[in-house]
Amino acid sequence: MLVGQAIRAEIPSTPPPEVKTEPNQVLQPDLNAANPTVSTLSDLGNSATTVKEWMAQIEAATAQVTAVKLNPTATGLEIVLDTADGKPLAVDATKFRAEGNSLLADIPNAVLALTEEQSFTAENPTAEIATVQVVQQDATSIRVSVTGKDALPKQEVTLKTGAFTYTLNPEDEATEEELVVTGDPDGYFVPDATTATKTDTPIRDIPFSIQVVPRQVLEDRKVQSELEALETVSGVVDLDTNTGELFSNVAIRGFFSSNRLRDGLRIGEDLNFTPIGAIERVEVLKGPASVLYGALDPGGVVNYVTRQPLAEPYYRIGFEAGNYGFFQPNIDLSGPLDKNGSVLYRLIAAYQQGGNFFDKTFNNNQVLSVTPLFTFNIGDRTNLNLFFEYTKQDSAQSFQPLLSDGRLIPSNVNPYYFSDNTEEKYRLGYTLNHEFDDSLRLRHGFAATFSSGDARTIEYTNLVDDRFLTDYLAFQFPSSASAYNGVIDLIKKFKTGSISHQLVAGFDFEHRTSKFGFYDESVDLPPLDIFDPIYDVQLPVIPSGPVSEKDITRSYGVYLQNQIAFTDHLKLLIGGRYDWVSSTGFTPIDSNGAFQNNGAFSPRIGLVYQPSKTISLYTSYSQSFRQAVGRNPDNKPFEPTKGTQYEVGVKADFLDGKLSATLAAYNITKTNVLTPDPDPDLARQNFQVQVGEQRSRGIEFDLTGEVLPGWNIVAAYALTDTKITEDNSIPSTVGNRFIGIPLHQASLWSTYFIQKGHLQGLGFGLGLFYVGERQGDLANSFQVASYLRTDAALYYRRGRFNAAINIRNLFNIDYVSSVNFGSLFINRGNPLTVIGSVSWEF
């Protein structure tokens, strides 16, 4: 059966009773009724005498869809479209199609005339269907879309209009062919996002720049860490990420971004990694996000949207191996635990070892991650999702010095005599969703995170004659942290006259405790010759001890947001939030430190004008805040730092919505930045004053989607002009650029799969990643060079078998990936890295 083939027409086997008609009247075959209905169709000309003539007359008229109904069936879901006066719809079932996770049906000569909304949306109508939408495509056509949660719905989905019922499902053979031919079952373009509004909103309706990295891009690039996942997003750069670290320290639009979200819930600083295998997509909201998420820096925020349990059995096993001793087995198992599908599970796990490119290393790169998830469908309108994440990583410090002429030391030299970092993290929590009715729903989430770590290192502190690393220091850095985060949202849809509203009212809290200790001493070790290193020396005992200091932070916030649609072309987003934040700063572990208390209001407003279905013009204003903790000479608490952004942009869809682009221009000013006290005596005692100001302005361009069948692309460019505008430092840094932020940055990633013939299923990938020159310190006294890295990939996908070879840094260039601690401690990019992978789904 083809997609959209009519599967039945409810036509009675006996003729209907004789009905008298007037001139220019035609019988409408509403054959579900006891008697056919009669409707005047004077505009259609002569009465129809055959089914063919009757269909031709339908196509010449425009029908009003007055109601949309969803009826659960024994095998899936039925979508019913009611029309005014029972007027039939001109359905061309041959034009039904499947795209990514969605089943689409475009119906011409139809307009929506619903009583309350301008469109119809239902979320989670079944266990495997995320949304059902009916929207006005243009003046005379509507679209019905059914989107699966992780893949095309396997349940039977039918569309009923009048006497006819159609299936939207493709045949199994067609689905299999799509997996083989395109190599891209889920697609590169994601039309909707949740991070910017806390609702599932089309990206074109959001007056801010938000970029989405879908699962297919993560798979195609064989992403191993958060930093790699963010490389295709404009304006995101590495600030200080050690080789092999799973989490990253990045800047967005020039400003450090340390907080992360998991499914829209804050997960705490230094606790922010979510295993890559558990991520469905990564959403990056650019600009201040405090209105929904509290204390944040103004550049933006990263949200991990995680994979969820599936209603149908799904099993995937995979294995990856590469150079530098790298290998990683992984599994992904999911399905129902009972016959009714009311309890679902998913288990995602991976073990990784190796991958450190140092020739002389400690071979301690290991990562274990286990993520079980459960979904309980409690009735038709309520579901409870439970999750647990366990991650353990064993790695090594990877800083390297930069030589005086800007060169890097030999790549096979490890500048450390010893380094071992271990970290263990547990995260557990739940989300509860309940729909009171079609217009009001509640969402509640809670997460608790616990981590412990221990870093032991023998580290250099000096470089002599561009050759000898000297003055070694042995230290231990034990740490632990806990965070409790909760949120509750009420989401209400309503109308005032012809104006549609979607209101979000919420409350969230965070209680975070961080503890650490630091024990160090100088050790007597011979200088390490970077051109002839000798590691066979007697290592000293590294000092050790327990955690000795703590920092407690408590925050509470309330917020209100309204998404307003004045018309189909004009939309407004407005919101505000007030936060209460208390922090002790780091104090001795056994003391009761005094809390610094601050409050802040964070507003935002944005306007979207859509002159057509494919173009959105937007402008917005937003603010952020972050608590500033330091030593004030008058002992008064500092005011929070403030971020203020103005942004304008345009979003456009091309190729029938398969390709999307965003062009944005912004200006961000961060005020109340702490700077050293101008009095030298006070500055030596670490006293500060709050007069600093920083500014970042720029232009960003992102393009993503499908260019041709089988050809996908992700392209990005950012111009980021950063400047320190006010400062009390001596010497002054006013006018200098930020550390580690390039003026220009660009990336391109593209894949193509052969569509026909004997080589069908063979695919190729190519990536180009350019990062411009960066300043190495606040004084702008030295720079690190720009680089252009080339990645490549080769794929073979047939049915449920996938094989790939991914090459990172194809031409083995030597480059600095990040700089944040001066020329002695830079991070080096990985050399030529090859990963081969195979996986099976069944």
Side-chain angles (χ1 to χ4, degrees):
M1 186 183 297
L2 298 176
V3 175
Q5 180 176 340
I7 58 175
R8 64 182 182 272
E10 299 173 357
I11 302 178
S13 57
T14 58
E18 182 179 352
V19 177
K20 295 182 179 180
T21 63
E22 300 296 330
N24 291 328
Q25 286 186 332
V26 62
L27 291 180
Q28 300 297 306
D30 182 4
L31 303 177
N32 290 320
N35 295 308
T37 58
V38 180
S39 182
T40 300
L41 294 174
S42 58
D43 57 329
L44 297 182
N46 295 328
S47 301
T49 58
T50 67
V51 172
K52 184 175 181 180
E53 291 178 358
W54 176 65
M55 291 298 295
Q57 290 179 343
I58 293 175
E59 292 178 356
T62 299
Q64 290 186 336
V65 176
T66 57
V68 180
K69 301 174 183 177
L70 302 185
N71 298 326
T73 66
T75 56
L77 184 69
E78 180 185 62
I79 304 169
V80 181
L81 303 183
D82 290 341
T83 58
D85 301 322
K87 195 172 186 179
L89 295 171
V91 177
D92 185 355
T94 63
K95 294 184 179 180
F96 292 3
R97 64 190 186 279
E99 289 186 1
N101 285 7
S102 299
L103 302 170
L104 304 178
D106 292 336
I107 302 175
N109 303 312
V111 295
L112 288 179
L114 305 180
T115 55
E116 294 184 357
E117 301 288 342
Q118 296 173 330
S119 62
F120 173 86
T121 300
E123 297 183 355
N124 302 310
T126 71
E128 66 177 65
I129 296 176
T131 59
V132 175
Q133 289 186 314
V134 183
V135 299
Q136 192 74 44
Q137 280 284 92
D138 52 40
T140 59
S141 69
I142 64 174
R143 168 173 290 183
V144 179
S145 62
V146 181
T147 302
K149 291 184 177 178
D150 281 294
L152 281 173
K154 294 183 180 179
Q155 296 174 316
E156 183 184 29
V157 181
T158 57
L159 175 67
K160 183 178 180 181
T161 169
F164 295 94
T165 301
Y166 306 85
T167 179
L168 273 67
N169 301 86
E171 285 185 331
D172 291 341
E173 293 80 6
T175 303
E176 181 78 4
E177 182 181 24
E178 182 184 19
L179 289 170
V180 172
V181 174
T182 68
D184 183 20
D186 297 318
Y188 274 28
F189 171 53
V190 178
D192 301 337
T194 60
T195 308
T197 61
K198 288 203 169 188
T199 62
D200 194 16
T201 302
I203 292 176
R204 66 189 304 268
D205 292 347
I206 299 172
F208 305 93
S209 177
I210 182 167
Q211 306 306 320
V212 181
V213 184
R215 182 71 205 176
Q216 194 61 46
V217 175
L218 302 179
E219 293 278 2
D220 289 351
R221 296 190 57 227
K222 202 55 60 183
V223 163
Q224 303 294 328
S225 66
E226 182 196 50
L227 179 63
E228 293 179 9
L230 297 173
E231 286 180 317
T232 56
V233 180
S234 66
V236 180
V237 297
D238 182 13
L239 275 187
D240 170 32
T241 304
N242 276 299
T243 301
E245 278 187 335
L246 300 179
F247 63 90
S248 64
N249 295 312
V250 299
I252 304 176
R253 290 186 167 176
F255 294 99
F256 184 59
S257 177
S258 57
N259 280 100
R260 299 292 183 269
L261 310 175
R262 185 193 187 279
D263 295 326
L265 182 65
R266 287 174 68 114
I267 54 180
E269 293 185 64
D270 303 323
L271 301 166
N272 53 31
F273 178 71
T274 294
I276 291 296
I279 297 174
E280 179 63 29
R281 64 182 184 272
V282 182
E283 297 185 359
V284 182
L285 173 61
K286 312 284 190 66
S290 289
V291 68
L292 293 179
Y293 304 111
L296 294 170
D297 280 303
V301 68
V302 178
N303 181 25
Y304 303 119
V305 180
T306 60
R307 313 189 85 175
Q308 296 300 313
L310 304 176
E312 298 293 332
Y314 171 82
Y315 311 102
R316 180 184 184 275
I317 59 172
F319 184 79
E320 303 168 9
N323 53 349
Y324 307 112
F326 171 83
F327 69 89
Q328 176 176 257
N330 54 81
I331 60 170
D332 182 2
L333 314 175
S334 188
L337 289 175
D338 64 347
K339 294 181 179 179
N340 299 325
S342 59
V343 182
L344 313 175
Y345 83 96
R346 192 160 194 165
L347 175 64
I348 302 168
Y351 173 76
Q352 174 186 317
Q353 182 169 310
N356 193 321
F357 64 85
F358 288 129
D359 181 44
K360 169 61 181 177
T361 188
F362 317 108
N363 200 28
N364 56 355
N365 272 19
Q366 300 181 60
V367 181
L368 172 65
S369 64
V370 182
T371 307
L373 308 101
F374 298 92
T375 295
F376 298 86
N377 294 309
I378 309 168
D380 295 334
R381 292 183 176 271
T382 306
N383 64 72
L384 175 67
N385 302 292
L386 307 180
F387 68 88
F388 176 80
E389 288 178 2
Y390 171 78
T391 306
K392 183 177 182 180
Q393 181 177 18
D394 199 354
S395 62
Q397 196 75 279
S398 64
F399 286 125
Q400 296 191 6
L402 200 64
L403 303 182
S404 58
D405 59 1
R407 290 182 298 121
L408 293 160
I409 67 175
S411 61
N412 64 343
V413 173
N414 187 339
Y416 292 86
Y417 275 111
F418 177 81
S419 180
D420 181 47
N421 300 338
T422 60
E423 183 175 7
E424 195 169 25
K425 183 202 71 182
Y426 304 83
R427 178 179 295 129
L428 67 158
Y430 64 86
T431 58
L432 174 68
N433 298 281
H434 176 70
E435 293 183 356
F436 296 98
D437 54 41
D438 292 340
S439 65
L440 178 64
R441 59 191 175 99
L442 176 145
R443 180 176 56 220
H444 168 50
F446 173 81
T449 309
F450 310 93
S451 74
S452 61
D454 186 53
R456 296 182 302 130
T457 300
I458 300 176
E459 184 174 76
Y460 62 93
T461 60
N462 195 18
L463 175 64
V464 178
D465 297 332
D466 270 353
R467 179 160 187 169
F468 299 102
L469 294 168
T470 66
D471 302 330
Y472 276 83
L473 187 73
F475 67 82
Q476 184 209 22
F477 185 80
S479 63
S480 66
S482 63
Y484 301 90
N485 297 82
V487 63
I488 185 167
D489 293 322
L490 277 174
I491 303 167
K492 172 68 176 177
K493 294 181 179 180
F494 63 95
K495 276 193 169 186
T496 54
S498 62
I499 300 174
S500 299
H501 302 260
Q502 185 167 212
L503 199 67
V504 177
F507 165 81
D508 62 23
F509 73 89
E510 179 177 41
H511 186 172
R512 185 178 73 249
T513 301
S514 301
K515 301 177 182 179
F516 79 95
F518 188 78
Y519 304 91
D520 67 304
E521 64 181 32
S522 297
V523 293
D524 186 16
L525 285 172
L528 186 70
D529 186 345
I530 62 175
F531 297 110
D532 186 20
I534 298 174
Y535 299 97
D536 188 15
V537 298
Q538 181 67 38
L539 296 179
V541 176
I542 296 175
S544 63
V547 293
S548 58
E549 294 193 40
K550 65 180 179 182
D551 173 34
I552 301 175
T553 299
R554 300 168 182 165
S555 65
Y556 308 89
V558 292
Y559 47 90
L560 185 66
Q561 172 188 274
N562 195 359
Q563 294 172 259
I564 305 169
F566 296 104
T567 69
D568 289 341
H569 304 287
L570 187 63
K571 296 162 186 177
L572 177 72
L573 175 67
I574 186 169
R577 174 189 178 106
Y578 195 86
D579 281 276
W580 298 266
V581 182
S582 301
S583 176
T584 61
F586 281 105
T587 58
I589 197 76
D590 55 357
S591 70
N592 295 319
F595 280 88
Q596 175 179 319
N597 301 305
N598 292 105
F601 176 70
S602 303
R604 74 170 177 179
I605 185 170
L607 187 67
V608 178
Y609 173 64
Q610 297 167 331
S612 71
K613 290 292 184 180
T614 60
I615 299 293
S616 294
L617 308 175
Y618 74 88
T619 183
S620 61
Y621 166 86
S622 55
Q623 282 191 350
S624 69
F625 89 98
R626 184 149 194 155
Q627 192 177 38
V629 179
R631 295 193 70 190
N632 194 337
D634 60 10
N635 290 321
K636 293 182 179 178
F638 288 113
E639 293 295 320
T641 61
K642 291 276 189 176
T644 302
Q645 174 183 269
Y646 299 89
E647 180 176 345
V648 296
V650 58
K651 301 178 184 182
D653 294 334
F654 308 96
L655 306 179
D656 295 326
K658 296 179 180 180
L659 189 68
S660 179
T662 299
L663 177 65
Y666 66 88
N667 186 95
I668 302 175
T669 302
K670 182 178 179 180
T671 57
N672 291 343
V673 178
L674 296 180
T675 67
D677 193 291
D679 185 329
D681 292 333
L682 294 176
R684 280 192 292 270
Q685 300 175 58
N686 295 321
F687 284 109
Q688 297 167 296
V689 293
Q690 203 166 24
V691 297
E693 183 180 276
Q694 301 169 349
R695 188 265 297 151
S696 176
R697 62 168 62 123
I699 298 172
E700 295 169 343
F701 175 76
D702 292 87
L703 176 72
T704 183
E706 185 183 54
V707 180
L708 293 171
W711 179 16
N712 288 296
I713 189 172
V714 181
Y717 167 77
L719 185 154
T720 311
D721 180 17
T722 61
K723 184 179 291 187
I724 298 172
T725 50
E726 294 182 19
D727 183 30
N728 267 357
S729 299
I730 300 174
S732 175
T733 60
V734 171
N736 290 359
R737 292 181 53 79
F738 296 179
I739 300 174
I741 307 299
L743 181 63
H744 299 284
Q745 171 208 10
S747 65
L748 171 69
W749 173 257
S750 184
T751 60
Y752 177 74
F753 283 81
I754 295 175
Q755 301 291 285
K756 297 179 181 179
H758 297 297
L759 297 180
Q760 179 180 323
L762 183 67
F764 309 90
L766 178 68
L768 300 173
F769 299 88
Y770 172 79
V771 175
E773 182 183 83
R774 290 146 289 166
Q775 300 296 328
D777 57 14
L778 278 176
N780 291 185
S781 63
F782 75 98
Q783 295 76 40
V784 293
S786 62
Y787 68 86
L788 175 64
R789 193 189 78 233
T790 303
D791 296 352
L794 179 67
Y795 311 99
Y796 182 71
R797 294 174 179 169
R798 195 74 182 181
R800 298 188 179 277
F801 172 77
N802 296 294
I805 298 175
N806 286 78
I807 303 174
R808 185 179 175 89
N809 197 357
L810 177 64
F811 299 112
N812 199 28
I813 65 168
D814 211 4
Y815 66 98
V816 175
S817 60
S818 64
V819 55
N820 199 29
F821 297 107
S823 60
L824 270 181
F825 301 100
I826 59 94
N827 285 298
R828 185 184 206 137
N830 286 342
L832 172 68
T833 305
V834 181
I835 296 178
S837 61
V838 292
S839 67
W840 294 264
E841 297 178 7
F842 52 93

